[in-house]
Amino acid sequence: MKRMPAIFVGHGSPMIALDHNELTETYGRVGQAVLEKFGRPKAILMISAHWYTRGTLVQSAAKPRQVYDMYGFSEELYALKYEPSGSAELTQEVQNVLGDAVEVDDSWGIDHGTWSILVHIFPQADIPVVQLSVNGLLSDEESYALGEKLAVLRGKGYLVMGSGNVVHNLREVEWENPHGSAAADRFDAYIKEAVEKRDDEKVIFYHQHPDASYAAPTPDHYLPLLYILGASKGEKPYVFNNVRNLGSMALTGYAFGL
């Protein structure tokens, strides 16, 4: 069995679920590349920024509910359905790997950090999905180390994905700006160079950058990248959707082993 990739996706606004543009077409190409090179994953372990918890939680539901965890958007977005099955086998594998460090919790579901991008990457919703929460109690180094433990799942036919944003600052959104602010551009370029060089310490200790408090005022959207870096230690990335928009959002994605 080929070792599945580990992929971090920048998801941006929930409205990207309804978009048909170069960004979403690239999502589709990434999904197609996975299928062509590796075959269909047994299931996807998705680490979404929108399940940010005290502790590490994993889902076990046979049919996770679709969560519309956003407010004030168009009715069309709330009507969109993406309803994959769960995977009891993957849930058990995660428990085997993480042991007492993980708990099963089905109070959440498949949130927009997951379905807004998977609707383009794997539009048939025919690959099971299990979400793993982002543990807000872990340090940045511990988040990376947890990702290292998840790497073994890739060799068992599971696709490990993270969904967030390298730059995500809702308070500084510029709704009329189709590009990034100067601070967003600087920080995203800094992280991109570090990821490409596999200078993982720079990515882990991102607070050292002068624009870090602007780019990641809260860690929830940034941390999925650390999980994926840990799960792909030493591998060089395929960089996709290297763009910023709304001033304070970066959609840059990284695929390892693709």
Side-chain angles (χ1 to χ4, degrees):
M1 181 178 292
K2 291 184 178 179
R3 189 173 191 243
M4 283 285 166
I7 303 174
F8 172 80
V9 183
H11 63 245
S13 165
M15 290 300 290
I16 202 164
L18 301 177
D19 290 341
H20 297 282
N21 53 32
E22 180 59 29
L23 292 170
T24 62
E25 289 174 7
T26 300
Y27 288 154
R29 288 193 291 269
V30 169
Q32 193 59 38
V34 171
L35 296 176
E36 290 176 355
K37 294 181 181 181
F38 304 91
R40 187 178 305 280
K42 292 166 66 176
I44 299 167
L45 182 68
M46 177 63 83
I47 303 147
S48 169
H50 290 275
W51 198 21
Y52 188 65
T53 58
R54 297 177 65 83
T56 298
L57 308 178
V58 66
Q59 294 173 341
S60 69
K63 194 72 174 180
R65 67 187 179 94
Q66 184 175 359
V67 180
Y68 297 91
D69 55 319
M70 66 282 175
Y71 307 95
F73 291 90
S74 69
E75 291 184 9
E76 186 182 4
L77 184 61
Y78 298 100
L80 187 151
K81 299 297 182 185
Y82 191 88
E83 299 174 319
S85 65
S87 170
E89 182 182 356
L90 177 52
T91 300
Q92 186 60 58
E93 290 281 8
V94 171
Q95 291 177 282
N96 293 343
V97 169
L98 299 182
D100 293 340
V102 66
E103 295 181 25
V104 171
D105 187 295
D106 290 317
S107 62
W108 193 234
I110 304 298
D111 59 52
H112 85 265
T114 295
W115 55 259
S116 70
I117 58 172
L118 288 185
V119 72
H120 298 293
I121 298 174
F122 300 115
Q124 301 304 314
D126 56 355
I127 301 172
V129 177
V130 172
Q131 279 201 196
L132 182 74
S133 74
V134 176
N135 186 349
L137 298 180
L138 297 181
S139 68
D140 298 331
E141 299 99 310
E142 289 170 332
S143 297
Y144 179 91
L146 192 150
E148 288 184 278
K149 294 179 180 178
L150 298 176
V152 67
L153 300 175
R154 297 171 57 194
K156 297 184 177 184
Y158 298 108
L159 179 61
V160 179
M161 298 186 70
S163 175
N165 297 100
V166 171
V167 180
H168 185 270
N169 189 334
L170 293 179
R171 293 184 178 180
E172 298 291 341
V173 164
E174 302 167 17
W175 293 108
E176 303 303 319
N177 185 357
H179 307 293
S181 66
D185 289 345
R186 284 192 300 265
F187 187 80
D188 199 36
Y190 171 80
I191 296 300
K192 176 175 173 287
E193 180 182 20
V195 172
E196 289 180 319
K197 292 181 176 179
R198 287 308 309 225
D199 188 347
D200 291 2
E201 286 202 358
K202 270 190 177 180
V203 187
I204 294 169
F205 298 105
Y206 66 97
H207 289 289
Q208 296 175 356
H209 192 277
D211 294 310
S213 60
Y214 168 91
T218 58
D220 46 314
H221 276 70
Y222 187 87
L223 288 174
L225 175 60
L226 298 186
Y227 283 71
I228 297 303
L229 278 185
S232 63
K233 193 171 183 178
E235 299 176 53
K236 292 300 180 74
Y238 161 64
V239 182
F240 61 96
N241 286 348
N242 180 28
V243 298
R244 274 72 49 208
N245 64 19
L246 302 179
S248 60
M249 295 285 174
L251 284 90
T252 307
Y254 300 97
F256 302 90
L258 186 57

